Amino acid sequence: MATADAVFTAGDRNGGMLTARLSAMMFMQFFVWGAGAVTLGLVMQTVGIGNLIGNAFSVGPIASIAGSFLLGMAAARYVSPKMLMVILHLLGGVLLFMLPTLLTPATGSTFVWLLLGYMMLYMPTVGLANTIALKSFGDRTDNFPFVRAFGTLGWITAGLIIGWAGLSASPQIFRVAAVVSIALGFYSLTLPNVEADKPSDEGIVRQVLCVEAFGLLQQRSFLIFILCATLISIPLAMYYAYASPFVGAAGITNVGGTLAIGQMSELVFMFSMPWLYRRFGVKPLLLVGMLAWALRYALFAIGDGGGSLWAVYLGVALHGVCYDFFFVAGAIYTGTIATPKGVNAQAQGMLTLFTYGVGMLLGSQIGAFLYAQLPANPTIADWHQMWWYPAIAAALIAILFQLTFRDNSRGDHRMGVTA
């Protein structure tokens, strides 16, 4: 079986079949996440458990820390990535089918706990999907951005379908995600049978804790970058948790489709990031990304369902600048710092720990505190007051970054642009 798969994979490399197979995997991978996450805040507010939105959006960061680092890194040593994808997506699909039954005021807390269980299964599959794609391509890693773009397309498609079907405020979003999760579980049986990671000389505990990568924080520039990345992830979490109920309060009915505009803009900027990085260097890109966050929340703070509705749409469309200019450029910068030390994988994991873990966990809880100050059914004016907090915070973080960060990763200054 393994031999046949190896032959099939080798044949794929002579054409486009391998890319097509991996693109389909990535499409479904992020369709599942997008279907269940894009309008979750609106769904919870609609069923009367809006006070738990912050807790619900805290489970993803917790799962990023525990699931990805423990299950994703440890289990992948003993089970092939392909079989882990099968197991985790099939089990996750079962839990997704159960989640809508718990979306009631009486069972809201149980819903959050079950959602945590699901995210513990899902988050490791993000890294596993990347691993399967990268190992399947071998030296042809230049094909990976194209395949990863299908993940963004999957997220966009999920939002469009949810909006078109009128499910933006319905618990049935989880059943849509469940169907695709189970389909992906079975589809994963057909994926290339790449090998599990081989144990290295370093102990598993040291690898999970990214001990070598933490040594990079001795470099002042990288320490400041990690600090600012963690801080900017706090307002990022507030967008993911509360954008959907805010867009609904602005009078927009197709909430899922509207929020998909953000992923469309992300797709536009994604392919340009390597060129922009080479042309301008890391500091201008990171600074523009931070300022875009401040501008986005300022637009939300003035946008309403009347003459200023354009500000809501523009704020959503800025997602491509907000995300790609900071997080994609930040991942490239982390690679330039970590590669000479031979700890690229650990450093990327550490970046995930601080941003999607620590930063977004703090952001979810701070957002929950601010949301608790709003009335039970907040008006657009109530939302305006809330959005000024992350707008001001993002602006202050950008100022801190501008004053303290210097890019020492390369001796040149990239065509005259200094850091």
Side-chain angles (χ1 to χ4, degrees):
M1 183 70 176
T3 302
D5 189 75
V7 172
F8 186 30
T9 300
D12 283 345
R13 288 180 178 174
N14 295 325
M17 282 300 296
L18 176 63
T19 299
R21 292 165 67 196
L22 296 173
S23 297
M25 171 195 70
M26 204 67 76
F27 181 92
M28 289 187 281
Q29 175 71 37
F30 283 88
F31 184 103
V32 173
W33 196 355
V38 171
T39 62
L40 175 57
L42 177 62
V43 172
M44 295 181 69
Q45 185 182 68
T46 302
V47 301
I49 56 173
N51 61 307
L52 296 176
I53 292 176
N55 290 340
F57 279 88
S58 295
V59 302
I62 293 172
S64 293
I65 297 170
S68 294
F69 284 88
L70 298 180
L71 180 59
M73 291 182 67
R77 292 174 171 274
Y78 307 103
V79 183
S80 72
K82 164 181 170 177
M83 290 311 300
L84 273 178
M85 286 282 285
V86 172
I87 295 167
L88 296 177
H89 275 296
L90 290 179
L91 291 176
V94 173
L95 294 187
L96 284 170
F97 270 114
M98 298 169 59
L99 283 171
T101 64
L102 300 173
L103 272 166
T104 68
T107 57
S109 296
T110 305
F111 165 79
V112 173
W113 281 108
L114 188 62
L115 183 63
L116 173 60
Y118 168 71
M119 293 303 291
M120 288 284 290
L121 297 175
Y122 177 85
M123 292 308 295
T125 65
V126 177
L128 289 169
N130 290 341
T131 297
I132 290 171
L134 289 168
K135 286 189 175 183
S136 297
F137 283 133
D139 294 334
R140 293 176 53 191
T141 55
D142 56 314
N143 288 332
F144 180 74
F146 177 81
V147 168
R148 177 58 183 82
F150 273 84
T152 301
L153 285 173
W155 186 292
I156 293 170
T157 303
L160 293 176
I161 290 176
I162 293 297
W164 171 79
L167 299 176
S168 295
S170 170
Q172 298 308 313
I173 60 172
F174 287 110
R175 295 213 164 100
V176 175
V179 170
V180 179
S181 179
I182 290 176
L184 177 54
F186 286 115
Y187 177 78
S188 296
L189 290 168
T190 72
L191 293 174
N193 195 25
V194 300
E195 295 181 356
D197 289 341
K198 290 181 172 61
S200 66
D201 295 335
E202 192 178 37
I204 182 63
V205 174
R206 287 178 60 86
Q207 291 194 56
V208 169
L209 296 178
C210 303
V211 172
E212 295 297 324
F214 272 96
L216 299 175
L217 297 178
Q218 296 176 14
Q219 302 181 46
R220 181 177 179 274
S221 61
F222 191 65
L223 174 63
I224 292 172
F225 163 70
I226 289 292
L227 173 63
C228 290
T230 304
L231 292 175
I232 205 67
S233 298
I234 294 174
L236 167 65
M238 295 182 63
Y239 172 77
Y240 285 142
Y242 297 103
S244 61
F246 163 69
V247 169
I252 298 173
T253 55
N254 187 351
V255 176
T258 298
L259 293 177
I261 294 173
Q263 273 64 45
M264 294 177 190
S265 70
E266 178 187 334
L267 198 60
V268 170
F269 287 104
M270 184 178 296
F271 292 111
S272 65
M273 272 297 103
W275 179 84
L276 289 172
Y277 189 95
R278 290 192 300 270
R279 175 65 179 83
F280 297 105
V282 64
K283 185 171 184 177
L285 297 185
L286 296 177
L287 189 60
V288 167
M290 292 181 179
L291 292 174
W293 283 109
L295 177 59
R296 155 184 271 179
Y297 291 125
L299 288 168
F300 281 179
I302 65 172
D304 56 31
S308 298
L309 190 61
W310 61 270
V312 178
Y313 285 108
L314 181 56
V316 172
L318 275 173
H319 183 76
V321 180
C322 295
Y323 187 86
D324 289 344
F325 275 62
F326 192 87
F327 286 95
V328 176
I332 296 173
Y333 171 66
T334 299
T336 66
I337 296 294
T339 298
K341 302 290 186 180
V343 291
N344 200 340
Q346 283 194 17
Q348 297 292 346
M350 184 179 68
L351 179 61
T352 300
L353 170 66
F354 280 110
T355 53
Y356 286 97
V358 177
M360 292 193 67
L361 180 59
L362 289 172
S364 297
Q365 292 302 308
I366 292 172
F369 173 79
L370 294 174
Y371 181 81
Q373 313 308 309
L374 304 183
N377 295 300
T379 65
I380 194 69
D382 296 320
W383 282 109
H384 287 169
Q385 181 181 359
M386 177 173 169
W387 288 125
W388 279 118
Y389 290 101
I392 294 171
L396 292 175
I397 296 166
I399 293 172
L400 172 66
F401 180 78
Q402 168 65 20
L403 294 176
T404 61
F405 179 82
R406 289 188 60 84
D407 177 21
N408 298 320
S409 61
R410 301 169 81 177
D412 62 358
H413 291 293
R414 298 171 190 80
M415 302 181 71
V417 179
T418 62

